[in-house]
């Protein structure tokens, strides 16, 4: 990809913007960004790419593309209690109308890479990211910039203002694809015409699978390590009144499970998927207090995949933790907090290995875990087959995206294929 203003022969390159809560500490969001950057670098290397995102410093440093802060007000994601903060946040919403419009106008195409941008399965306010997404899609329609929601997640939304913003954002987008059929169904039920929208695997399945690190030596007949992916889980958008109770139950259940593994002599590696998960890791380490339990500090989905490839089994909560485990072919059990996790496990042939994150029953979870380990060879064969299928389907996704957003490049490729 180019950072200049001209392509080969002097023509102006296609100007592509990437939009979302990127570089903000969530590894799944950044993994989706990496997948789309890989697609652009491979198929559209002359595109001029930049980002409007939550963590511009991190995105610019890591991915070497220009990046602009998503919000004018720097305290956007802090709770505003004082009058000055409330006024600053309100003014920021007005300023962001013009900032977003000006940024969109400079681009030919804007891609929202994956993420659950059309759902509220985690706590979310309508004036937060849903408002930002609406500004993006409305600006795209106003200025003729093609906005693409690529491989995104959606879910039913109870809160009416949030649902309205999500519905109109989807309607105004020039292109939509989804990471599961449940997402497409949710948008259709909100009143969006999805007749021409397609479903593909999550974009993270397009990431390269890193080579596994050599596993630590272990005595013959002794099982290997277990990765447990944790989450700072407090329920969804409709669970705010019960958030602390849900979190306490999740933490207690996960801690009991880890303690049971240790009592069986298993080594446990705790993994996160967002910076906010560190408090859960600290609480489990303090409660179990065993040298058999350690914690990793992954900085990317590649780091997660390396950890999980070296494990015998993975038990995880976050959606993209599950994807990493499934992608490297490690038998995986989902502590499922939303229907998207169940749909992912079903796609990969492991729908029998889901357990509700809201109501962890340690005894039943251990039975599921042991059953999964007994069937490990067959599970690994199933995952190898499903990963091949996912790779082919994502090739189709990127071909469709080129056809929709880069028609000149698509026509040139078709001519080359014909000749």
């Amino acid at each position: 990809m180019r950072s200049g203003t001209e392509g080969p022969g002097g023509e102006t390159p296609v100007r592509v913007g990437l939009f979302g809560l990127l570089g903000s500490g969530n590894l799944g969001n950044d993994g989706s960004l990496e997948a789309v950057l890989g697609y652009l670098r491979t198929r559209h290397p002359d595109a001029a790419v930049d980002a409007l995102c939550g963590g511009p410093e991190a995105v610019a440093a890591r991915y070497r593309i220009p990046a602009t802060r998503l919000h004018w007000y720097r305290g956007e994601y802090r709770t505003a209690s004082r009058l000055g903060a409330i006024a600053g946040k309100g003014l920021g919403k007005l300023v962001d109308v013009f900032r977003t419009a000006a940024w969109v106008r400079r681009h030919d195409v804007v891609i929202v890479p994956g993420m659950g941008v059309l759902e509220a399965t985690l706590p979310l306010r309508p004036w937060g990211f849903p408002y930002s997404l609406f500004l993006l899609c409305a600006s795209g329609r106003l200025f003729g910039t093609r906005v693409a929601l690529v491989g995104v997640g959606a879910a039913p939304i109870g809160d009416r203002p949030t649902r309205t913003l999500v519905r109109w954002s989807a309607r105004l987008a020039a292109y939509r694809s989804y990471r599961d059929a449940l997402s497409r169904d949710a948008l259709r039920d909100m009143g969006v015409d999805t007749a021409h929208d397609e479903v593909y695997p999550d974009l993270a399945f397009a990431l390269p699978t890193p080579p596994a690190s050599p596993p630590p030596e272990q005595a013959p007949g002794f099982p290997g390590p277990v990765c447990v992916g944790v989450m700072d889980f407090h329920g969804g958008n409709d669970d705010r009144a019960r958030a602390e109770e849900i979190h306490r139950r999740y933490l207690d259940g996960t801690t009991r499970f880890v303690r049971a593994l240790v009592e069986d002599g298993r080594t446990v590696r705790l993994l996160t998927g967002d910076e906010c998960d560190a408090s859960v890791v600290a609480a489990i380490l303090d409660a179990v207090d065993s040298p058999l339990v350690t914690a990793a500090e992954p900085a990317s989905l590649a780091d997660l995949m390396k950890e999980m490839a070296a494990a015998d089994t993975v038990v995880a909560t976050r959606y993209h933790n599950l994807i990493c485990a499934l992608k490297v072919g490690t038998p995986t059990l989902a502590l499922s907090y939303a229907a998207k996790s169940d749909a992912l496990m079903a796609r990969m042939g492991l729908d029998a290995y889901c357990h509700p994150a809201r109501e962890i029953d340690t005894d039943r979870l251990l039975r599921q875990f042991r059953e999964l380990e007994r069937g490990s060879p067959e599970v690994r064969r199933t995952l190898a087959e499903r990963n091949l299928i996912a790779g082919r389907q994502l090739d189709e996704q990127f071909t469709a995206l080129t056809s929709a957003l880069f028609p000149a490049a698509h026509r040139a490729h078709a001519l080359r294929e014909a000749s």
Side-chain angles (χ1 to χ4, degrees):
M1 294 182 302
R2 304 168 68 88
S3 58
T5 58
E6 292 189 353
E11 71 275 12
T12 302
V14 177
R15 299 162 299 177
V16 180
L18 300 171
F19 179 93
L21 294 177
L22 311 166
S24 301
N26 183 283
L27 301 187
N29 291 359
D30 290 353
S32 299
L33 169 63
E34 287 183 43
V36 169
L37 283 172
Y39 152 72
L40 292 170
R41 286 168 175 154
T42 300
R43 302 202 187 190
H44 305 283
D46 294 315
V49 179
D50 72 316
L52 184 64
C53 58
E57 297 86 0
V59 168
R62 181 165 188 175
Y63 303 110
R64 298 184 180 180
I65 59 173
T68 302
R69 185 173 298 280
L70 180 59
H71 301 290
W72 174 79
Y73 181 62
R74 290 179 176 266
E76 173 64 29
Y77 294 107
R78 295 194 294 269
T79 300
S81 55
R82 296 184 177 181
L83 184 60
I86 294 171
K89 185 170 284 193
L91 176 61
K93 297 303 175 186
L94 178 61
V95 173
D96 285 345
V97 173
F98 301 98
R99 291 179 71 252
T100 303
W103 182 81
V104 170
R105 191 174 187 178
R106 295 197 297 269
H107 295 83
D108 303 299
V109 171
V110 173
I111 296 175
V112 180
M115 305 176 288
V117 296
L118 304 177
E119 63 182 52
T121 52
L122 296 176
L124 184 71
R125 298 295 190 188
W127 54 84
F129 189 76
Y131 173 77
S132 300
L133 185 65
F134 172 74
L135 292 182
L136 171 78
C137 296
S139 298
R141 181 63 65 93
L142 178 64
F143 297 115
T145 300
R146 296 184 294 277
V147 174
L149 310 180
V150 182
V152 297
I157 298 173
D159 179 70
R160 186 172 180 178
T162 303
R163 186 172 65 248
T164 299
L165 287 168
V166 164
R167 179 173 64 247
W168 276 104
S169 296
R171 284 177 173 173
L172 292 168
Y175 175 90
R176 297 180 298 268
S177 66
Y178 310 96
R179 63 190 181 191
D180 52 48
L182 292 174
S183 297
R184 182 171 60 184
D185 293 345
L187 262 292
R188 185 191 61 224
D189 292 345
M190 288 185 209
V192 178
D193 181 3
T194 62
H196 301 291
D197 299 351
E198 297 292 341
V199 173
Y200 301 98
D202 189 272
L203 290 170
F205 280 104
L207 293 172
T209 304
S213 303
E217 291 187 9
Q218 56 196 61
F222 281 79
V226 180
C227 284
V228 177
V230 302
M231 179 178 180
D232 186 26
F233 178 58
H234 292 77
N237 212 42
D238 298 330
D239 298 318
R240 292 179 182 273
R242 303 171 48 237
E244 288 309 312
E245 175 194 350
I246 290 171
H247 179 67
R248 186 181 67 254
R249 286 185 179 181
Y250 170 78
L251 180 58
D252 288 349
T254 306
T255 302
R256 286 195 301 271
F257 176 68
V258 171
R259 185 178 290 117
L261 292 176
V262 169
E263 289 170 355
D264 284 346
R266 302 298 293 268
T267 57
V268 177
R269 189 75 161 155
L270 300 177
L271 303 175
T272 59
D274 193 293
E275 291 174 353
C276 66
D277 300 334
S279 61
V280 178
V281 169
I284 294 174
L285 289 173
D286 184 60
V288 178
D289 191 23
S290 167
L292 293 177
V293 185
T294 58
E297 296 182 358
S300 67
L301 294 191
D303 290 346
L304 280 174
M305 284 191 269
K306 288 177 182 176
E307 294 279 353
M308 292 170 167
D312 272 11
T313 311
V314 173
V315 179
T317 309
R318 281 198 179 272
Y319 183 76
H320 281 92
N321 278 27
L322 292 173
I323 288 177
C324 287
L326 296 167
K327 182 169 171 55
V328 298
T330 302
T332 304
L333 199 160
L335 291 177
S336 175
Y337 69 89
K340 62 184 179 183
S341 300
D342 298 333
L344 170 65
M345 295 294 282
R347 176 190 281 272
M348 301 302 286
L350 299 186
D351 44 314
Y353 300 107
C354 295
H355 192 96
R358 281 175 171 78
E359 300 288 345
I360 296 177
D361 179 331
T362 306
D363 291 337
R364 185 164 76 86
L365 180 59
L366 283 166
R367 288 196 298 271
Q368 287 180 290
F369 173 80
R370 288 163 182 154
E371 179 186 345
L372 176 64
E373 292 215 310
R374 285 193 297 270
S376 177
E378 179 60 30
V379 168
R380 288 179 180 273
R381 285 192 291 272
T382 298
L383 290 177
E385 295 167 358
R386 299 299 174 98
N387 275 306
L388 288 174
I389 295 170
R392 290 195 295 268
Q393 291 172 331
L394 281 169
D395 282 342
E396 296 170 3
Q397 160 72 100
F398 292 135
T399 298
L401 192 59
T402 291
S403 177
L405 302 184
F406 307 92
H410 181 70
R411 286 194 297 271
H413 176 74
L415 288 172
R416 285 194 301 271
E417 290 291 312
S419 61

